[in-house]
Amino acid sequence: MDIMRMSREMETGPEQYATGPFQLQNLRTGSEEGMLTAMRVTFDAGIRPHWHSHPAGQFLIVESGVGLVQSEGGDIREVRQGDCIWFAPGEKHWHGAAADSDFTYLSLQTIQDGRAVDWD
């Protein structure tokens, strides 16, 4: 069993991954094959990450605000607090804040082939 005490402070996410600044809190990091990674992310209104996919898929849990999600070739859909979203392995997508609301979610993904995400 691992118990991790995380700082409540968020840090600014890498600018090359989104359309604007965002905040993140790494809850569980690692690089071992099959390891679960987790983070809390907050996007200000209108900000979203660039298109990406996850080799083992991604599970999101919306904590607050109104978000928008889209898979390649699909419609943009609205999500709200309490909604859970599953993106299948390799499914190209994005998930960000609606134009008039901040958006915070928990993101869970597993390391596969040495990585948790592929940025397009």
Side-chain angles (χ1 to χ4, degrees), residues 78-97:
E78 185 177 279
V79 294
R80 296 180 170 273
Q81 182 178 8
D83 288 347
C84 298
I85 304 100
W86 168 249
F87 296 104
E91 181 177 2
K92 191 172 177 180
H93 68 278
W94 60 265
H95 37 80

Side-chain angles (χ1 to χ4, degrees), residues 5 9 12 14 22 32-33 38 51 53 55 76 83 87-88 100-101 106 111 118 120:
R5 306 253 186 249
E9 293 186 29
T12 300
F22 65 99
E32 295 177 29
E33 195 71 10
W51 287 97
S53 62
I76 297 173
D83 288 347
F87 296 104
D100 59 352
S101 176
L106 295 177
I111 301 291
D118 292 317
D120 295 323

Side-chain angles (χ1 to χ4, degrees), residues 23-85:
Q23 300 295 304
L24 67 86
Q25 178 186 28
N26 281 309
L27 303 173
R28 181 170 171 85
T29 60
S31 59
E32 295 177 29
E33 195 71 10
M35 182 177 201
L36 179 71
T37 65
M39 65 181 67
R40 176 176 288 115
V41 178
T42 297
F43 288 109
D44 290 340
I47 304 296
R48 70 168 186 84
H50 299 300
W51 287 97
H52 62 283
S53 62
H54 302 269
Q58 181 185 44
F59 188 71
L60 300 182
I61 304 166
V62 180
E63 288 193 321
S64 64
V66 178
L68 302 173
V69 297
Q70 183 181 26
S71 291
E72 186 174 45
D75 295 331
I76 297 173
R77 298 174 63 187
E78 185 177 279
V79 294
R80 296 180 170 273
Q81 182 178 8
D83 288 347
C84 298
I85 304 100

